[in-house]
Amino acid sequence: MINQIKAYLSEGKIWEGRIQYFETITSTNDVLKELAKQNAPHGTVLIADCQTGGRGRLGRTFLSPAQMGIYMSVLLRPDCMPGDLMHLTCAAAEAACDAFEKAVGIRPSIKWTNDIVFLKRKLAGILTEVGIGNNQKTEYVIIGIGVNCSQSETDFPEEIRGFAGSLAMVTEKVIDRARVAAELVNAFASMNDKLLTDKANLIEAYRRDCITIGEEVSVIRGEEVLHGVALDINSDCSLMVRFSDGTIAPVNSGEVSVRGLYHYV
Ligand code: BTN
């Protein structure tokens, strides 16, 4: 697998020597976080065929069965304050859309903030984590992505069957997972080049791909559920929502879950 992935990397292959492949791992994010603390270099990439402890946002589990998906984490070491990275998840989601378009020929959309969707089915999820040093600067960034590649509908547990999807299901093609992995590495490397210099364009591209804008949403914060309409994405990646009582306020992805009123999106 690792050689197939390397064969698809773009010219320059900047991170080629820093890619590690695992048949099984607990969580690529967790292992990479340990490596980051032991000074692993910028551009270290972990890719796994299977995770036994895959994690999603808000403490959820991310199912990571063998031979079905790509589970990947990328380590970046941008020279900036954590506050300069509010748009990180948006940039990563855009990179993922670029990668899938190249690898399988469809451009998916984004459900704010970090779900990659096509025809109302979630194909991939992104979990970004930022480590802060003693000097309060960014010490490391980890971008984790889990992609459903080869599942058919019955491979998903019943409770998520209606809204989980795979690249194979939506393209009706056999998916070359090595190509998907390589295009993700290529796209994250390109994203890294413009992460701190091209924020406005990144957010603009994200707005174009984000299907949450204009949708009715339920904002779930603990026990509280508020209804409203998503109006826009702010430059810090927060979602501007007009709530049913008429108030307009930004919603931050770290604290809430947003559900569309119809179906999953
Ligand atoms: C989500 O949908 O809430 C985010 C899912 C992120 C899953 C990926 S798989 C690779 C990396 N390792 C993890 O434990 N999580 C991320």
Side-chain angles (χ1 to χ4, degrees), residues 27-29 51 54-57 62 72-73 122 125-126 145-146:
S27 151
T28 52
N29 265 39
Q51 292 184 124
R55 291 188 295 113
R57 271 185 62 230
F62 188 83
M72 173 188 294
S73 299
K122 174 169 171 172
I126 294 170
I145 181 164

Side-chain angles (χ1 to χ4, degrees), residues 76-143:
L76 307 179
R77 293 196 184 273
D79 182 16
C80 66
M81 301 303 285
D84 298 326
L85 293 170
M86 302 299 282
H87 64 307
L88 175 69
T89 304
C90 289
E94 269 299 298
C97 288
D98 293 345
F100 296 150
E101 191 172 7
K102 276 216 167 135
V104 305
I106 53 141
R107 185 165 189 89
S109 301
I110 302 163
K111 174 185 171 280
W112 182 86
T113 45
N114 65 331
D115 286 351
I116 309 299
V117 298
F118 193 80
L119 299 176
K120 298 197 171 182
R121 288 181 183 269
K122 174 169 171 172
L123 305 177
I126 294 170
L127 179 65
T128 54
E129 302 186 88
V130 176
I132 301 173
N134 290 335
N135 56 4
Q136 301 308 310
K137 283 186 75 174
T138 305
E139 192 173 303
Y140 62 82
V141 162
I142 292 174
I143 300 171

